[in-house]
Amino acid sequence: MDLFVTGFQNTLILFFISAIAALILGTVVGAMRVSPVPAARATGTLYVNIVRNTPLTLVLFFFALGYPKLGLPPIDFMTAAIIGLSLYTATYVAETLRSGINTVPLGQAEAARAIGLTFGQTLSLVVLPQAFRSVIPPLFSVLIALLKNTTVAAGFSVAEAGAIRANLSERGEPALVGLLWVALIFVILVAGLSVLQRYFENKWRVAR
Amino acid sequence: MTTQASGDALVSLNGVNKHYGQLHVLKDINLQVRKGEVVVVIGPSGSGKSTLCRAINRLETIDNGDISIDGKHLPEEGKQLANLRADVGMVFQSFNLFAHKTILENVTLGPIKVKGVSKAEAEKEAMKLLERVGVGHQAPKLPAQLSGGQQQRVAIARALAMKPKVMLFDEPTSALDPEMINEVLDVMVQLAKEGMTMIVVTHEMGFARKAADRVVFMADGQIVEDSRPEEFFTNPQSNRAKDFLSKLLTH
């Protein structure tokens, strides 16, 4: 039972910190990809294409095995997993958000510029709030994928929910039962996210 | 040709050219608008009148020539351009109210974020403006809950909240149902009477007759005529204008 508590505790810690970091970084990268500055656009595109095209396992492999050899300050597995998951998920957040930005009519940005708002203000006060509202469903799919991807971190010694099953089997418990329990709790956690998604969809329904 | 402007023009365009690829949409445009003047720009679609209007606050860039507002040249992108745009009110054909903000927030956003006015002060001013255009009781609603005519009047209030030196109207009634056109035109006529400098791209000849000091007729990217409304409507000089007017009058 202790194993379940620590396991899911770590899952939730990994999820919440990575989700917040990925949302922030993803928003910045998404904004870079629609920026009028060519250098910002290029950097954003490069980042998304490199990281998104790499399997998550390899991203985490890099932080678990490659990073310590770079001679940089050592980090524990938990931090490494958070950085890896955030960098990976941010690319999906950025692309989701970019599709949302494209649904906001051009006239909205023109009206914002016409009253004297700067590019940054236009984006943060007028375009992004509307973009977020229109991508709530796909954005939550990204977050749900992140929640489940925390199990990948198990392979790199972060004791989270995915590790529970392995541990149970080692102690002779029937593997299938352990697996079912882990699956059930994930279903409950994801259901929680879905409820949150419906709440935001209702609250932020934008009529045009 | 009557009122050719002197050096004290509030809005001044000199030798302005613009291309969309092969298409030469603005051909060597010269236009001076003095303080308090109401200039109505008319012409067939594709004549460049909307592009001209949008170029004045640099929503469209120009290839060459010079545009200045109150003696200041239109700057490149950046903070300075944002400051200059704050002095130029713009009303669009499709209203473009911020869809996620209430009517009141639509009007207060500019004063608060651009001019640094306090929220309380901005809301007080905004309510006055909304009352003035006749939509005060709609303040807490979202734009989509209002009719087109009401939305356009809010858009005028939003532009006025920045206390602009000049107002640009880009076909403000073209997206409206016929019964809503007058409520918007009434607000515009009132503004003109109060001495606001206005450049209005429109198909409403009634407004041009009633409120304009000058009518500028554009065709194929050029200013073909620039005269007083009664002169233009009764005695157009060019064949292009005669043709345009005859098509209007037969329907």
Side-chain angles (χ1 to χ4, degrees), chain A residues 5-36:
Chain A
V5 173
T6 348
F8 275 102
Q9 219 170 33
N10 282 339
T11 284
L12 289 176
I13 293 172
L14 273 178
F15 171 70
F16 277 112
I17 301 181
S18 306
I20 291 166
L23 283 173
I24 295 171
L25 182 62
T27 305
V28 172
V29 175
M32 282 166 82
R33 295 211 65 186
V34 298
S35 155

PDB file of all heavy atoms in Angstrom, chain A residues 5-36:
ATOM      1  N   VAL A   5       1.059   4.675  -2.513  1.00  0.00           N
ATOM      2  CA  VAL A   5       1.035   6.081  -2.110  1.00  0.00           C
ATOM      3  C   VAL A   5       2.246   6.818  -2.677  1.00  0.00           C
ATOM      4  O   VAL A   5       2.105   7.818  -3.375  1.00  0.00           O
ATOM      5  CB  VAL A   5       0.977   6.206  -0.573  1.00  0.00           C
ATOM      6  CG1 VAL A   5       1.116   7.676  -0.163  1.00  0.00           C
ATOM      7  CG2 VAL A   5      -0.327   5.642  -0.059  1.00  0.00           C
ATOM      8  N   THR A   6       3.462   6.282  -2.443  1.00  0.00           N
ATOM      9  CA  THR A   6       4.663   6.940  -2.973  1.00  0.00           C
ATOM     10  C   THR A   6       4.615   7.006  -4.492  1.00  0.00           C
ATOM     11  O   THR A   6       4.940   8.021  -5.097  1.00  0.00           O
ATOM     12  CB  THR A   6       5.965   6.169  -2.605  1.00  0.00           C
ATOM     13  OG1 THR A   6       5.649   5.200  -1.625  1.00  0.00           O
ATOM     14  CG2 THR A   6       7.050   7.110  -2.166  1.00  0.00           C
ATOM     15  N   GLY A   7       4.213   5.889  -5.083  1.00  0.00           N
ATOM     16  CA  GLY A   7       4.171   5.807  -6.550  1.00  0.00           C
ATOM     17  C   GLY A   7       3.306   6.893  -7.143  1.00  0.00           C
ATOM     18  O   GLY A   7       3.758   7.688  -7.970  1.00  0.00           O
ATOM     19  N   PHE A   8       2.058   6.989  -6.667  1.00  0.00           N
ATOM     20  CA  PHE A   8       1.159   7.976  -7.248  1.00  0.00           C
ATOM     21  C   PHE A   8       1.480   9.397  -6.814  1.00  0.00           C
ATOM     22  O   PHE A   8       1.216  10.349  -7.547  1.00  0.00           O
ATOM     23  CB  PHE A   8      -0.301   7.601  -6.972  1.00  0.00           C
ATOM     24  CG  PHE A   8      -0.814   6.644  -8.003  1.00  0.00           C
ATOM     25  CD1 PHE A   8      -0.924   5.286  -7.731  1.00  0.00           C
ATOM     26  CD2 PHE A   8      -1.134   7.097  -9.279  1.00  0.00           C
ATOM     27  CE1 PHE A   8      -1.352   4.401  -8.705  1.00  0.00           C
ATOM     28  CE2 PHE A   8      -1.573   6.214 -10.248  1.00  0.00           C
ATOM     29  CZ  PHE A   8      -1.680   4.862  -9.962  1.00  0.00           C
ATOM     30  N   GLN A   9       2.074   9.484  -5.614  1.00  0.00           N
ATOM     31  CA  GLN A   9       2.546  10.808  -5.195  1.00  0.00           C
ATOM     32  C   GLN A   9       3.564  11.339  -6.209  1.00  0.00           C
ATOM     33  O   GLN A   9       3.454  12.462  -6.700  1.00  0.00           O
ATOM     34  CB  GLN A   9       3.216  10.678  -3.825  1.00  0.00           C
ATOM     35  CG  GLN A   9       2.928  11.829  -2.896  1.00  0.00           C
ATOM     36  CD  GLN A   9       3.417  11.519  -1.495  1.00  0.00           C
ATOM     37  OE1 GLN A   9       4.431  10.830  -1.328  1.00  0.00           O
ATOM     38  NE2 GLN A   9       2.708  12.024  -0.504  1.00  0.00           N
ATOM     39  N   ASN A  10       4.530  10.493  -6.548  1.00  0.00           N
ATOM     40  CA  ASN A  10       5.544  10.906  -7.518  1.00  0.00           C
ATOM     41  C   ASN A  10       4.942  11.176  -8.888  1.00  0.00           C
ATOM     42  O   ASN A  10       5.331  12.113  -9.577  1.00  0.00           O
ATOM     43  CB  ASN A  10       6.648   9.854  -7.623  1.00  0.00           C
ATOM     44  CG  ASN A  10       7.615   9.946  -6.454  1.00  0.00           C
ATOM     45  OD1 ASN A  10       7.695  10.996  -5.809  1.00  0.00           O
ATOM     46  ND2 ASN A  10       8.310   8.867  -6.166  1.00  0.00           N
ATOM     47  N   THR A  11       3.979  10.355  -9.275  1.00  0.00           N
ATOM     48  CA  THR A  11       3.287  10.591 -10.547  1.00  0.00           C
ATOM     49  C   THR A  11       2.673  11.986 -10.567  1.00  0.00           C
ATOM     50  O   THR A  11       2.832  12.743 -11.524  1.00  0.00           O
ATOM     51  CB  THR A  11       2.177   9.535 -10.766  1.00  0.00           C
ATOM     52  OG1 THR A  11       2.788   8.320 -11.148  1.00  0.00           O
ATOM     53  CG2 THR A  11       1.217   9.968 -11.872  1.00  0.00           C
ATOM     54  N   LEU A  12       1.990  12.328  -9.468  1.00  0.00           N
ATOM     55  CA  LEU A  12       1.319  13.626  -9.414  1.00  0.00           C
ATOM     56  C   LEU A  12       2.316  14.781  -9.374  1.00  0.00           C
ATOM     57  O   LEU A  12       2.114  15.801 -10.023  1.00  0.00           O
ATOM     58  CB  LEU A  12       0.367  13.685  -8.210  1.00  0.00           C
ATOM     59  CG  LEU A  12      -0.877  12.793  -8.367  1.00  0.00           C
ATOM     60  CD1 LEU A  12      -1.733  12.813  -7.115  1.00  0.00           C
ATOM     61  CD2 LEU A  12      -1.705  13.213  -9.580  1.00  0.00           C
ATOM     62  N   ILE A  13       3.417  14.589  -8.612  1.00  0.00           N
ATOM     63  CA  ILE A  13       4.439  15.646  -8.575  1.00  0.00           C
ATOM     64  C   ILE A  13       5.015  15.852  -9.974  1.00  0.00           C
ATOM     65  O   ILE A  13       5.083  16.976 -10.482  1.00  0.00           O
ATOM     66  CB  ILE A  13       5.576  15.279  -7.580  1.00  0.00           C
ATOM     67  CG1 ILE A  13       5.024  15.288  -6.145  1.00  0.00           C
ATOM     68  CG2 ILE A  13       6.744  16.267  -7.707  1.00  0.00           C
ATOM     69  CD1 ILE A  13       6.001  14.752  -5.116  1.00  0.00           C
ATOM     70  N   LEU A  14       5.414  14.741 -10.606  1.00  0.00           N
ATOM     71  CA  LEU A  14       5.944  14.818 -11.976  1.00  0.00           C
ATOM     72  C   LEU A  14       4.951  15.526 -12.890  1.00  0.00           C
ATOM     73  O   LEU A  14       5.306  16.404 -13.672  1.00  0.00           O
ATOM     74  CB  LEU A  14       6.180  13.408 -12.531  1.00  0.00           C
ATOM     75  CG  LEU A  14       7.500  12.710 -12.264  1.00  0.00           C
ATOM     76  CD1 LEU A  14       7.468  11.307 -12.867  1.00  0.00           C
ATOM     77  CD2 LEU A  14       8.650  13.502 -12.878  1.00  0.00           C
ATOM     78  N   PHE A  15       3.672  15.132 -12.768  1.00  0.00           N
ATOM     79  CA  PHE A  15       2.651  15.665 -13.658  1.00  0.00           C
ATOM     80  C   PHE A  15       2.464  17.166 -13.454  1.00  0.00           C
ATOM     81  O   PHE A  15       2.525  17.938 -14.410  1.00  0.00           O
ATOM     82  CB  PHE A  15       1.325  14.933 -13.452  1.00  0.00           C
ATOM     83  CG  PHE A  15       0.176  15.590 -14.179  1.00  0.00           C
ATOM     84  CD1 PHE A  15       0.096  15.543 -15.559  1.00  0.00           C
ATOM     85  CD2 PHE A  15      -0.795  16.283 -13.469  1.00  0.00           C
ATOM     86  CE1 PHE A  15      -0.948  16.167 -16.235  1.00  0.00           C
ATOM     87  CE2 PHE A  15      -1.841  16.911 -14.135  1.00  0.00           C
ATOM     88  CZ  PHE A  15      -1.909  16.851 -15.516  1.00  0.00           C
ATOM     89  N   PHE A  16       2.242  17.577 -12.202  1.00  0.00           N
ATOM     90  CA  PHE A  16       1.901  18.985 -11.975  1.00  0.00           C
ATOM     91  C   PHE A  16       3.051  19.926 -12.345  1.00  0.00           C
ATOM     92  O   PHE A  16       2.860  20.911 -13.046  1.00  0.00           O
ATOM     93  CB  PHE A  16       1.459  19.219 -10.526  1.00  0.00           C
ATOM     94  CG  PHE A  16       0.017  18.885 -10.323  1.00  0.00           C
ATOM     95  CD1 PHE A  16      -0.361  17.804  -9.540  1.00  0.00           C
ATOM     96  CD2 PHE A  16      -0.977  19.630 -10.952  1.00  0.00           C
ATOM     97  CE1 PHE A  16      -1.707  17.471  -9.376  1.00  0.00           C
ATOM     98  CE2 PHE A  16      -2.318  19.315 -10.792  1.00  0.00           C
ATOM     99  CZ  PHE A  16      -2.685  18.233  -9.997  1.00  0.00           C
ATOM    100  N   ILE A  17       4.257  19.593 -11.892  1.00  0.00           N
ATOM    101  CA  ILE A  17       5.376  20.487 -12.197  1.00  0.00           C
ATOM    102  C   ILE A  17       5.643  20.512 -13.704  1.00  0.00           C
ATOM    103  O   ILE A  17       5.789  21.572 -14.309  1.00  0.00           O
ATOM    104  CB  ILE A  17       6.643  20.082 -11.405  1.00  0.00           C
ATOM    105  CG1 ILE A  17       6.338  20.143  -9.909  1.00  0.00           C
ATOM    106  CG2 ILE A  17       7.811  21.012 -11.749  1.00  0.00           C
ATOM    107  CD1 ILE A  17       7.492  19.802  -9.018  1.00  0.00           C
ATOM    108  N   SER A  18       5.640  19.320 -14.324  1.00  0.00           N
ATOM    109  CA  SER A  18       5.900  19.278 -15.768  1.00  0.00           C
ATOM    110  C   SER A  18       4.798  19.980 -16.544  1.00  0.00           C
ATOM    111  O   SER A  18       5.060  20.651 -17.544  1.00  0.00           O
ATOM    112  CB  SER A  18       6.003  17.833 -16.261  1.00  0.00           C
ATOM    113  OG  SER A  18       6.949  17.135 -15.506  1.00  0.00           O
ATOM    114  N   ALA A  19       3.538  19.819 -16.082  1.00  0.00           N
ATOM    115  CA  ALA A  19       2.428  20.441 -16.808  1.00  0.00           C
ATOM    116  C   ALA A  19       2.575  21.958 -16.794  1.00  0.00           C
ATOM    117  O   ALA A  19       2.433  22.620 -17.824  1.00  0.00           O
ATOM    118  CB  ALA A  19       1.099  20.032 -16.185  1.00  0.00           C
ATOM    119  N   ILE A  20       2.880  22.504 -15.612  1.00  0.00           N
ATOM    120  CA  ILE A  20       3.007  23.966 -15.512  1.00  0.00           C
ATOM    121  C   ILE A  20       4.185  24.457 -16.361  1.00  0.00           C
ATOM    122  O   ILE A  20       4.062  25.387 -17.155  1.00  0.00           O
ATOM    123  CB  ILE A  20       3.158  24.390 -14.034  1.00  0.00           C
ATOM    124  CG1 ILE A  20       1.831  24.152 -13.301  1.00  0.00           C
ATOM    125  CG2 ILE A  20       3.575  25.860 -13.923  1.00  0.00           C
ATOM    126  CD1 ILE A  20       1.927  24.200 -11.808  1.00  0.00           C
ATOM    127  N   ALA A  21       5.334  23.760 -16.226  1.00  0.00           N
ATOM    128  CA  ALA A  21       6.509  24.162 -17.003  1.00  0.00           C
ATOM    129  C   ALA A  21       6.232  24.047 -18.507  1.00  0.00           C
ATOM    130  O   ALA A  21       6.594  24.935 -19.287  1.00  0.00           O
ATOM    131  CB  ALA A  21       7.712  23.301 -16.620  1.00  0.00           C
ATOM    132  N   ALA A  22       5.543  22.967 -18.899  1.00  0.00           N
ATOM    133  CA  ALA A  22       5.273  22.754 -20.326  1.00  0.00           C
ATOM    134  C   ALA A  22       4.305  23.803 -20.863  1.00  0.00           C
ATOM    135  O   ALA A  22       4.451  24.267 -21.993  1.00  0.00           O
ATOM    136  CB  ALA A  22       4.716  21.354 -20.562  1.00  0.00           C
ATOM    137  N   LEU A  23       3.321  24.198 -20.038  1.00  0.00           N
ATOM    138  CA  LEU A  23       2.369  25.214 -20.487  1.00  0.00           C
ATOM    139  C   LEU A  23       3.068  26.562 -20.682  1.00  0.00           C
ATOM    140  O   LEU A  23       2.830  27.254 -21.670  1.00  0.00           O
ATOM    141  CB  LEU A  23       1.223  25.364 -19.480  1.00  0.00           C
ATOM    142  CG  LEU A  23       0.146  24.272 -19.516  1.00  0.00           C
ATOM    143  CD1 LEU A  23      -0.835  24.432 -18.362  1.00  0.00           C
ATOM    144  CD2 LEU A  23      -0.607  24.296 -20.840  1.00  0.00           C
ATOM    145  N   ILE A  24       3.937  26.902 -19.741  1.00  0.00           N
ATOM    146  CA  ILE A  24       4.652  28.185 -19.855  1.00  0.00           C
ATOM    147  C   ILE A  24       5.591  28.168 -21.060  1.00  0.00           C
ATOM    148  O   ILE A  24       5.527  29.023 -21.950  1.00  0.00           O
ATOM    149  CB  ILE A  24       5.437  28.494 -18.558  1.00  0.00           C
ATOM    150  CG1 ILE A  24       4.451  28.702 -17.398  1.00  0.00           C
ATOM    151  CG2 ILE A  24       6.323  29.730 -18.732  1.00  0.00           C
ATOM    152  CD1 ILE A  24       5.098  28.793 -16.041  1.00  0.00           C
ATOM    153  N   LEU A  25       6.457  27.129 -21.095  1.00  0.00           N
ATOM    154  CA  LEU A  25       7.421  27.033 -22.197  1.00  0.00           C
ATOM    155  C   LEU A  25       6.699  26.899 -23.541  1.00  0.00           C
ATOM    156  O   LEU A  25       7.070  27.549 -24.529  1.00  0.00           O
ATOM    157  CB  LEU A  25       8.350  25.833 -21.961  1.00  0.00           C
ATOM    158  CG  LEU A  25       9.453  25.635 -23.002  1.00  0.00           C
ATOM    159  CD1 LEU A  25      10.392  26.834 -23.022  1.00  0.00           C
ATOM    160  CD2 LEU A  25      10.247  24.360 -22.700  1.00  0.00           C
ATOM    161  N   GLY A  26       5.630  26.094 -23.555  1.00  0.00           N
ATOM    162  CA  GLY A  26       4.874  25.895 -24.797  1.00  0.00           C
ATOM    163  C   GLY A  26       4.262  27.195 -25.298  1.00  0.00           C
ATOM    164  O   GLY A  26       4.235  27.457 -26.499  1.00  0.00           O
ATOM    165  N   THR A  27       3.762  28.026 -24.370  1.00  0.00           N
ATOM    166  CA  THR A  27       3.182  29.311 -24.756  1.00  0.00           C
ATOM    167  C   THR A  27       4.243  30.225 -25.365  1.00  0.00           C
ATOM    168  O   THR A  27       4.027  30.864 -26.395  1.00  0.00           O
ATOM    169  CB  THR A  27       2.540  30.001 -23.526  1.00  0.00           C
ATOM    170  OG1 THR A  27       1.610  29.100 -22.935  1.00  0.00           O
ATOM    171  CG2 THR A  27       1.824  31.270 -23.924  1.00  0.00           C
ATOM    172  N   VAL A  28       5.431  30.231 -24.724  1.00  0.00           N
ATOM    173  CA  VAL A  28       6.518  31.063 -25.244  1.00  0.00           C
ATOM    174  C   VAL A  28       6.921  30.599 -26.638  1.00  0.00           C
ATOM    175  O   VAL A  28       7.042  31.405 -27.574  1.00  0.00           O
ATOM    176  CB  VAL A  28       7.738  31.027 -24.282  1.00  0.00           C
ATOM    177  CG1 VAL A  28       8.932  31.731 -24.906  1.00  0.00           C
ATOM    178  CG2 VAL A  28       7.371  31.655 -22.946  1.00  0.00           C
ATOM    179  N   VAL A  29       7.091  29.281 -26.784  1.00  0.00           N
ATOM    180  CA  VAL A  29       7.514  28.748 -28.091  1.00  0.00           C
ATOM    181  C   VAL A  29       6.421  28.959 -29.143  1.00  0.00           C
ATOM    182  O   VAL A  29       6.698  29.346 -30.279  1.00  0.00           O
ATOM    183  CB  VAL A  29       7.882  27.251 -27.976  1.00  0.00           C
ATOM    184  CG1 VAL A  29       8.210  26.677 -29.345  1.00  0.00           C
ATOM    185  CG2 VAL A  29       9.062  27.070 -27.041  1.00  0.00           C
ATOM    186  N   GLY A  30       5.151  28.761 -28.731  1.00  0.00           N
ATOM    187  CA  GLY A  30       4.039  28.995 -29.651  1.00  0.00           C
ATOM    188  C   GLY A  30       4.032  30.436 -30.132  1.00  0.00           C
ATOM    189  O   GLY A  30       3.844  30.711 -31.319  1.00  0.00           O
ATOM    190  N   ALA A  31       4.270  31.372 -29.200  1.00  0.00           N
ATOM    191  CA  ALA A  31       4.321  32.799 -29.553  1.00  0.00           C
ATOM    192  C   ALA A  31       5.488  33.075 -30.495  1.00  0.00           C
ATOM    193  O   ALA A  31       5.372  33.844 -31.450  1.00  0.00           O
ATOM    194  CB  ALA A  31       4.445  33.655 -28.293  1.00  0.00           C
ATOM    195  N   MET A  32       6.640  32.405 -30.240  1.00  0.00           N
ATOM    196  CA  MET A  32       7.804  32.587 -31.117  1.00  0.00           C
ATOM    197  C   MET A  32       7.484  32.144 -32.539  1.00  0.00           C
ATOM    198  O   MET A  32       7.914  32.761 -33.509  1.00  0.00           O
ATOM    199  CB  MET A  32       8.998  31.778 -30.595  1.00  0.00           C
ATOM    200  CG  MET A  32       9.721  32.430 -29.425  1.00  0.00           C
ATOM    201  SD  MET A  32      10.836  31.265 -28.623  1.00  0.00           S
ATOM    202  CE  MET A  32      12.243  31.371 -29.710  1.00  0.00           C
ATOM    203  N   ARG A  33       6.692  31.072 -32.642  1.00  0.00           N
ATOM    204  CA  ARG A  33       6.400  30.533 -33.977  1.00  0.00           C
ATOM    205  C   ARG A  33       5.486  31.431 -34.797  1.00  0.00           C
ATOM    206  O   ARG A  33       5.390  31.271 -36.004  1.00  0.00           O
ATOM    207  CB  ARG A  33       5.803  29.122 -33.866  1.00  0.00           C
ATOM    208  CG  ARG A  33       6.793  28.129 -33.288  1.00  0.00           C
ATOM    209  CD  ARG A  33       6.570  26.747 -33.817  1.00  0.00           C
ATOM    210  NE  ARG A  33       6.818  26.675 -35.254  1.00  0.00           N
ATOM    211  CZ  ARG A  33       6.591  25.599 -35.985  1.00  0.00           C
ATOM    212  NH1 ARG A  33       6.087  24.527 -35.440  1.00  0.00           N
ATOM    213  NH2 ARG A  33       6.848  25.597 -37.273  1.00  0.00           N
ATOM    214  N   VAL A  34       4.772  32.373 -34.152  1.00  0.00           N
ATOM    215  CA  VAL A  34       3.951  33.308 -34.934  1.00  0.00           C
ATOM    216  C   VAL A  34       4.543  34.712 -34.910  1.00  0.00           C
ATOM    217  O   VAL A  34       3.935  35.667 -35.384  1.00  0.00           O
ATOM    218  CB  VAL A  34       2.492  33.377 -34.409  1.00  0.00           C
ATOM    219  CG1 VAL A  34       1.822  32.021 -34.538  1.00  0.00           C
ATOM    220  CG2 VAL A  34       2.430  33.853 -32.970  1.00  0.00           C
ATOM    221  N   SER A  35       5.749  34.843 -34.331  1.00  0.00           N
ATOM    222  CA  SER A  35       6.374  36.159 -34.195  1.00  0.00           C
ATOM    223  C   SER A  35       6.760  36.749 -35.549  1.00  0.00           C
ATOM    224  O   SER A  35       7.074  36.018 -36.488  1.00  0.00           O
ATOM    225  CB  SER A  35       7.622  36.017 -33.321  1.00  0.00           C
ATOM    226  OG  SER A  35       8.537  37.042 -33.610  1.00  0.00           O
ATOM    227  N   PRO A  36       6.720  38.087 -35.663  1.00  0.00           N
ATOM    228  CA  PRO A  36       7.182  38.697 -36.912  1.00  0.00           C
ATOM    229  C   PRO A  36       8.710  38.678 -37.044  1.00  0.00           C
ATOM    230  O   PRO A  36       9.237  38.981 -38.110  1.00  0.00           O
ATOM    231  CB  PRO A  36       6.663  40.134 -36.822  1.00  0.00           C
ATOM    232  CG  PRO A  36       6.442  40.394 -35.374  1.00  0.00           C
ATOM    233  CD  PRO A  36       6.203  39.074 -34.708  1.00  0.00           C
TER     234      PRO A  36
END
